[in-house]
Amino acid sequence: MSQVLHPMLNTAVKAARAAGAIITRAAQDLDRVAVTSKSHNDFVTEVDHAAEEAIIKILLAAYPGHGILAEESGRTHGAKDSDYLWIIDPLDGTTNFIHGLPVYATSIALALRGQVQQAVVYDPTRNDLFFASKGRGAFLNDKRLRVSKRIRLLEALIGTGFPFRKGDNFKRYVTMFEEVMQSCAGLRRPGAAALDLCYVAAGWYDGFFETGLSPWDIAAGSLMVTEAGGLIGNFTGEADFLYQREIVAGNPKIYAQLVSILAPHTGVV
Ligand code: IPD
Ligand code: CA
Ligand code: CA
């Protein structure tokens, strides 16, 4: 990376690479990775925990006064009253990781009073580092990212994620899926939401939608999208999505067309 990063982003990159090293080492011998189930279909491994610990250690060593919201340990680490909150998914795409499918990443975002300022998503399988600073653009390694220019949903490639937890509203999702599928050129479900949002930022997808996601799945990716010139919001098109469990993103034209399909389905989970 040739450019000078914001010091907080630099720390996040260091933490994400440390997590990536732990994940990559473990991926070489998956039979030895202990897996437990958080709930039906929702898995966690010792690798998720080890990667999360490494990230938190690096972040708090640099910024001991900051808050932490991490998928596996919640808010147990860090300050409780800081304006700064690191939002961490140590391993996004755990199900893929367990199966050896190389689509997973570490996601780290820094929010200041609820607004994401710095973001890193690191895909250790490709050594791809996505990063963004508010107002300074989104990048993949050394390359500036821009969302796609496609304007017709009929020609668009759309990413999504399927519901999979007990109690999810599968029927409503299938209705949305059917409507979007008939209106676009193709739908994809790779299985790591943080990367899905980076793919929108990179212009590889023209849009993305999913329900049931948590802040750690989307915080970093959301800044990638907006810094690449895209839009992100809830199904009715409002920018307030971090804790809403429904999300749509895309280049501005495709975003608007997805919102018009998804708005009637708001509040599905
Ligand atoms: C999951 C992935 C997946 C999405 C799930 C998430 P995890 O995260 O982002 O793409 O569909 O809803 O829970 O559990 O692998 O960190
Ligand atoms: Ca996740
Ligand atoms: Ca995770």
Side-chain angles (χ1 to χ4, degrees):
M1 222 183 312
S2 52
Q3 51 189 302
V4 180
L5 302 186
H6 186 285
M8 291 181 188
L9 183 59
N10 220 1
T11 304
V13 168
K14 197 173 142 198
R17 287 201 187 275
I22 292 170
I23 294 165
T24 300
R25 213 175 308 127
Q28 280 151 20
D29 198 357
L30 281 174
D31 288 344
R32 293 182 53 175
V33 173
V35 181
T36 47
S37 173
K38 290 196 263 193
S39 62
H40 172 75
N41 265 355
D42 197 357
F43 303 103
V44 63
T45 73
E46 56 187 338
V47 179
D48 300 59
H49 288 290
E52 185 166 304
E53 267 171 42
I55 294 166
I56 294 173
K57 203 168 157 201
I58 291 170
L59 296 179
L60 288 182
Y63 301 104
H66 284 188
I68 300 277
L69 170 63
E71 179 173 13
E72 311 307 339
S73 57
R75 294 215 51 163
T76 54
H77 299 280
K80 303 289 174 281
D81 54 357
S82 175
D83 282 346
Y84 287 96
L85 183 66
W86 292 94
I87 306 175
I88 302 160
D89 191 336
L91 176 51
D92 185 49
T94 296
T95 302
N96 287 346
F97 170 78
I98 291 167
H99 290 264
L101 179 68
V103 184
Y104 44 80
T106 295
S107 174
I108 303 175
L110 175 65
L112 172 61
R113 291 185 285 277
Q115 301 295 318
V116 179
Q117 305 288 319
Q118 313 291 344
V120 176
V121 174
Y122 178 55
D123 171 351
T125 73
R126 298 165 56 93
N127 194 20
D128 270 351
L129 186 77
F130 294 88
F131 59 96
S133 277
K134 199 167 173 101
R136 299 194 54 186
F139 295 81
L140 164 54
N141 302 322
D142 272 334
K143 192 170 151 257
R144 177 94 195 241
L145 298 179
R146 298 299 303 173
V147 292
S148 75
K149 293 192 173 64
R150 225 162 257 109
I151 56 176
R152 283 162 51 86
L153 187 56
L154 264 179
E155 290 160 8
L157 184 62
I158 305 297
T160 188
F162 305 144
F164 58 90
R165 295 182 185 89
K166 233 188 187 131
D168 284 344
N169 194 333
F170 295 97
K171 281 212 172 97
R172 301 277 284 278
Y173 179 81
V174 170
T175 309
M176 293 190 285
F177 182 85
E178 201 178 327
E179 286 178 30
V180 174
M181 182 146 50
Q182 291 178 62
S183 316
C184 72
L187 264 179
R188 300 288 181 270
R189 198 282 193 254
L195 283 174
D196 285 322
L197 291 172
C198 292
Y199 298 170
V200 173
W204 302 341
Y205 292 160
D206 305 293
F208 170 77
F209 73 99
E210 186 162 353
T211 57
L213 292 175
S214 298
W216 44 80
D217 300 312
I218 54 180
S222 69
L223 188 65
M224 308 290 175
V225 170
T226 52
E227 286 297 323
L231 295 175
I232 185 159
N234 61 22
F235 283 0
T236 43
E238 287 116 9
D240 183 20
F241 57 85
L242 205 53
Y243 294 89
Q244 288 208 8
R245 301 183 79 74
E246 59 180 42
I247 192 168
V248 50
N251 79 37
K253 295 276 190 239
I254 299 299
Y255 175 83
Q257 292 163 73
L258 282 176
V259 164
S260 69
I261 294 178
L262 298 171
H265 304 287
T266 189
V268 293
V269 266

